[in-house]
């Protein structure tokens, strides 16, 4: 089953990359869709069938998606800065690593413990 999951994920990534190469705007649309998240939710549900795991994954994703957006900034302004692909890529990774790393550093890890209201019922 792990091989099937890997093949599905790889096929989606290759398809999006091919489409983006031919039609950048459509590629951007596909990148904004949470295709990988949808696949991860389905695969997690099929494996665990636990809504707590799905809820934790969703909460973390809601925070981490915006924190990962700085990755795109160097690419978006590369025409003005004159940066080529690899410098833009490295700077994007650094920016996203700073924002995401800061969040991991200052936040406490999510738990699946019941709230105090649930424990007192």
């Amino acid at each position: 089953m792990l091989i099937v999951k890997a093949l599905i994920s790889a096929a989606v990534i290759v398809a999006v990359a091919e489409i983006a190469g031919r039609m950048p705007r459509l590629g951007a649309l596909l990148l904004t869709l949470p295709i990988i998240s949808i696949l991860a939710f389905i695969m997690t549900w099929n494996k665990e069938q636990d809504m707590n795991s799905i809820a934790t994954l969703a909460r973390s994703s809601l925070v981490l998606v915006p924190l990962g957006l700085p990755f795109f900034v160097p690419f978006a302004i590369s025409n003005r800065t004159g940066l080529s692909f690899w410098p833009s890529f490295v700077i994007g990774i650094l920016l996203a690593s700073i924002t995401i790393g800061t969040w991991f550093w200052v936040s406490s890890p999510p738990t699946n413990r019941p709230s105090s209201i649930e424990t007192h019922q």
Side-chain angles (χ1 to χ4, degrees), residues 10 18 23 28 33-35 38 50 72 79 85 100 105-106:
E18 286 297 315
M23 296 174 277
L33 297 175
I35 296 169
I38 290 167
D50 176 27
F72 299 102
N79 289 343
F85 176 79
I100 292 169
W105 183 58
V106 300

Side-chain angles (χ1 to χ4, degrees), residues 44-56:
T44 300
W45 176 254
N46 285 335
K47 182 180 178 194
E48 307 286 332
Q49 296 200 352
D50 176 27
M51 277 308 292
N52 285 333
S53 295
I54 300 294
T56 301

Side-chain angles (χ1 to χ4, degrees), residues 18-40:
E18 286 297 315
I19 291 168
R22 293 186 180 108
M23 296 174 277
R25 208 161 186 197
L26 180 57
L29 171 65
L30 293 173
L31 285 174
T32 62
L33 297 175
I35 296 169
I36 299 302
S37 298
I38 290 167
L39 290 173

Side-chain angles (χ1 to χ4, degrees), residues 58-113:
R59 280 191 302 273
S60 294
S61 296
L62 280 171
V63 172
L64 289 169
V65 166
L67 293 176
L69 293 178
F71 170 78
F72 299 102
V73 172
F75 293 103
I77 63 172
S78 63
N79 289 343
R80 285 188 243 147
T81 62
L83 290 173
S84 61
F85 176 79
W86 288 113
S88 296
F89 184 83
V90 169
I91 293 168
I93 292 289
L94 288 172
L95 290 172
S97 296
I98 290 167
T99 56
I100 292 169
T102 301
W103 179 73
F104 274 105
W105 183 58
V106 300
S107 70
S108 60
T111 62
N112 287 333
R113 289 181 286 157

